[in-house]
């Protein structure tokens, strides 16, 4: 990691609603994932969200930005269930969040699952880069390379420094994976950069793709990718993926997530 370019941000923020305009009284759900030492700063992040709700977000309408208040905060446990750690109707301060181990949460593919064909869903734009350019197709090697790179980076900067070994062998196997079908499109978003004082555009692949290969080998990395995302701009919420193994009996899926959910209420 000596020549690592850029330090990955230890958080992922995703807006769960697929829209940009919220009317007074509508709910806005935000999914926040914190990695490593950043978990310790959650109380300050919570307060920052509260203050942001008071000052407002979005474009000004009639001289004011959109205001919101935090209704609930839910923390995900190791069993995938959520526990309410803040409810505005009963308390004024947020509870402690549980730290989860990525290694303990991700188990190998069950022995009885012999699926050789698997499907990847791209829930938010996935920006894969290869040979210096953004890809317009879901290259499997690029997906695995990104997942391993992010795991190593998070461990190096925010964890115990343990790194994934034999990456070259893993990528060699990834190149052998065949594409069965692709049903993706390139979705683009725009945002205004105050630093550059201009509107910028970011896009990536959404949809799904089916592959044929050694799912058992790649399964832990793909499950990790469900939690930490793949590709570029994951701090913006990009790179959300989900894996499902397909066999003659249909879909086999083992759910495994790590996140905190904010439930906001908008006001006029």
């Amino acid at each position: 990691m000596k020549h690592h370019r850029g330090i990955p941000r230890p958080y992922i923020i995703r807006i769960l609603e697929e829209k940009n305009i919220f009317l007074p009284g509508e709910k806005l759900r935000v999914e926040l994932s914190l990695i490593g030492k950043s978990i310790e700063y959650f109380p300050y992040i919570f307060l920052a969200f509260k203050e942001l709700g008071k000052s407002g977000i979005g474009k000004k309408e009639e001289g004011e930005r959109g205001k919101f208040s935090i209704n609930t905060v839910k923390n995900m446990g190791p069993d995938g269930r959520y526990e309410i750690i803040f409810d505005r109707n009963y308390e004024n301060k947020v509870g402690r969040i549980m730290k989860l181990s990525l290694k303990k949460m991700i188990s190998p593919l069950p022995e009885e699952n012999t699926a050789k064909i698997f499907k990847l869903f791209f829930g938010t734009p996935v920006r894969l880069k290869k040979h210096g350019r953004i890809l317009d197709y879901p290259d499997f090697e690029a997906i695995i390379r990104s997942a391993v790179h992010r795991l190593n980076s998070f461990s190096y900067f925010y964890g115990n420094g343990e790194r994934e070994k034999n990456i070259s062998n893993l990528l060699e196997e990834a190149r052998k994976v065949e594409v069965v079908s692709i049903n993706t499109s390139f979705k683009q978003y725009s945002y205004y950069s105050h630093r550059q004082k201009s509107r910028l555009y970011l896009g990536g692949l959404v949809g799904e793709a089916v592959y044929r290969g050694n799912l058992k080998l790649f399964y832990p990395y793909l499950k990790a990718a469900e939690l930490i995302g793949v590709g570029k701009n994951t701090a913006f919420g990009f790179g959300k993926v989900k894996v499902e193994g397909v066999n003659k009996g249909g879909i086999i899926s083992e759910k495994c997530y790590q996140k905190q959910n904010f439930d906001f209420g908008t006001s006029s």
Side-chain angles (χ1 to χ4, degrees):
M1 308 301 287
K2 182 179 179 181
H3 303 291
H4 185 88
R5 295 183 179 179
I7 299 175
R9 293 178 176 86
Y11 61 85
I12 300 168
I13 300 178
R14 294 188 179 119
I15 306 298
L16 300 183
E17 274 71 28
E18 282 285 333
K19 60 180 183 178
N20 298 324
I21 298 175
F22 292 85
L23 300 177
E26 290 187 327
K27 288 186 177 181
L28 165 65
R29 294 175 300 152
V30 174
E31 178 185 293
L32 170 68
S33 297
L34 299 174
I35 293 101
K37 299 174 184 177
S38 68
I39 296 173
E40 300 172 8
Y41 295 96
F42 177 71
Y44 303 101
I45 296 172
F46 173 76
L47 291 176
F49 270 112
K50 289 187 71 173
E51 291 303 313
L52 184 61
K54 295 176 184 178
S55 60
I57 58 175
K59 292 182 179 180
K60 287 186 177 181
E61 295 289 342
E62 299 180 356
E64 285 192 350
R65 300 185 188 278
K67 306 290 198 303
F68 65 84
S69 59
I70 302 176
N71 292 333
T72 59
V73 179
K74 301 175 184 178
N75 178 54
M76 198 204 76
D79 59 356
R81 297 181 181 181
Y82 286 97
E83 174 189 5
I84 295 177
I85 58 175
F86 173 80
D87 189 323
R88 64 177 298 190
N89 295 319
Y90 300 104
E91 53 194 328
N92 294 319
K93 62 180 182 179
V94 69
R96 297 182 62 182
I97 63 175
M98 182 182 298
K99 295 181 180 180
L100 304 175
S101 168
L102 192 63
K103 269 190 174 181
K104 292 180 179 179
M105 290 184 68
I106 299 175
S107 56
L109 191 68
E111 288 295 330
E112 61 273 15
N113 189 337
T114 59
K116 294 296 182 183
I117 297 178
F118 55 97
K119 181 184 294 186
L120 289 182
F121 294 91
F122 309 110
T124 61
V126 175
R127 289 174 60 81
L128 298 170
K129 199 170 185 180
K130 192 172 184 179
H131 304 312
R133 67 182 186 89
I134 298 297
L135 300 180
D136 57 2
Y137 63 95
D139 182 86
F140 188 74
E141 181 198 353
I143 293 171
I144 294 299
R145 183 186 295 274
S146 174
V148 174
H149 175 72
R150 286 178 61 74
L151 284 169
N152 284 342
S153 297
F154 284 137
S155 177
Y156 181 80
F157 289 106
Y158 308 110
N160 58 13
E162 185 177 329
R163 296 180 59 190
E164 188 66 33
K165 300 177 181 179
N166 300 320
I167 297 177
S168 58
N169 294 337
L170 182 69
L171 295 179
E172 180 63 32
E173 291 298 317
R175 285 189 281 271
K176 298 177 183 178
V177 173
E178 302 174 28
V179 177
V180 177
S181 64
I182 296 176
N183 183 20
T184 60
S185 59
F186 198 87
K187 189 173 184 178
Q188 192 157 261
Y189 290 89
S190 66
Y191 69 99
Y192 185 80
S193 171
H194 289 279
R195 183 172 62 87
Q196 300 186 35
K197 300 187 182 303
S198 62
R199 183 160 294 279
L200 303 179
Y201 296 88
L202 285 176
L205 297 171
V206 295
E208 62 185 54
V210 178
Y211 304 89
R212 180 186 291 108
N214 187 357
L215 176 58
K216 194 178 294 291
L217 174 62
F218 303 109
Y219 187 75
Y221 305 99
L222 295 174
K223 293 303 289 186
E226 288 187 351
L227 302 174
I228 64 175
V230 294
K232 311 286 287 183
N233 304 103
T234 52
F236 281 14
F238 281 26
K240 184 177 183 179
V241 298
K242 181 172 171 31
V243 59
E244 288 183 339
V246 183
N247 65 6
K248 293 181 180 179
I251 298 292
I252 297 176
S253 175
E254 182 186 345
K255 293 184 178 179
C256 183
Y257 303 95
Q258 179 185 25
K259 53 198 170 210
Q260 288 77 44
N261 277 355
F262 286 75
D263 186 7
F264 297 111
T266 55
S267 58
S268 56

